[in-house]
Amino acid sequence: MPIKASPFGFQKQFDWGADIHSLDYDGSLLIRVLRNRNKNSGIEVAFSQVDGFRLLDEIVLAHYWAAEDFPSGYPVLEVFDGGWAKEEHERLGYARQQREWIIVTAATCVSVFSTHEPEIRDAAWPAKA
């Protein structure tokens, strides 16, 4: 299933070493994304409210990346068609209007349903022990 998406907020491309550093959920969702696996800096993507999210290995979503016009290398995308919401519609047989985002890395990806746009900021954090 092809996906239609465009870069959102943070317009710099990340390299293929990018990965999810951490994810914190307490009603709001904070996702820390490493620029590459050798550094302790990247971006924080903060959603003040979410309706749902899922974290998957990037290989599970390989059918998304196969689309010729997929915006590769951008960490935060807004999804307009063909994403998780479309999969849920096909699985459940009804459509619920969802605004969808996907945080893409070479290792792990996070799909998010939220009516609120995420806040994206540069960040640095201590190395994991």
Side-chain angles (χ1 to χ4, degrees):
M1 172 186 313
I3 188 171
K4 292 189 186 334
S6 65
F8 180 84
F10 192 86
Q11 296 296 314
K12 291 184 197 171
Q13 289 185 311
F14 276 23
D15 66 29
W16 281 106
D19 198 359
I20 301 295
H21 176 274
S22 62
L23 185 146
D24 294 310
Y25 176 73
D26 63 359
S28 61
L29 180 64
L30 178 66
I31 303 161
R32 292 182 184 93
V33 184
L34 291 169
R35 280 186 211 288
N36 64 55
R37 292 183 184 141
N38 300 323
K39 296 185 179 177
N40 294 310
S41 66
I43 59 172
E44 291 182 336
V45 183
F47 291 90
S48 61
Q49 180 182 355
V50 296
D51 297 320
F53 65 93
R54 68 179 185 176
L55 181 136
L56 295 170
D57 186 272
E58 55 83 24
I59 199 68
V60 176
L61 301 174
H63 59 284
Y64 286 179
W65 327 143
E68 187 174 302
D69 58 349
F70 183 81
S72 295
Y74 294 95
V76 182
L77 304 174
E78 184 170 8
V79 178
F80 298 104
D81 188 31
W84 182 26
K86 177 106 175 185
E87 292 169 7
E88 288 299 299
H89 167 68
E90 289 176 1
R91 186 177 71 82
L92 299 173
Y94 66 88
R96 178 175 174 214
Q97 190 66 12
Q98 296 281 5
R99 194 162 182 197
E100 182 177 351
W101 315 87
I102 187 166
I103 291 66
V104 180
T105 76
T108 310
C109 301
V110 182
S111 296
V112 180
F113 291 148
S114 179
T115 56
H116 302 278
E117 293 182 351
E119 179 183 331
I120 303 167
R121 57 190 170 263
D122 284 312
W125 43 83
K128 286 186 174 181

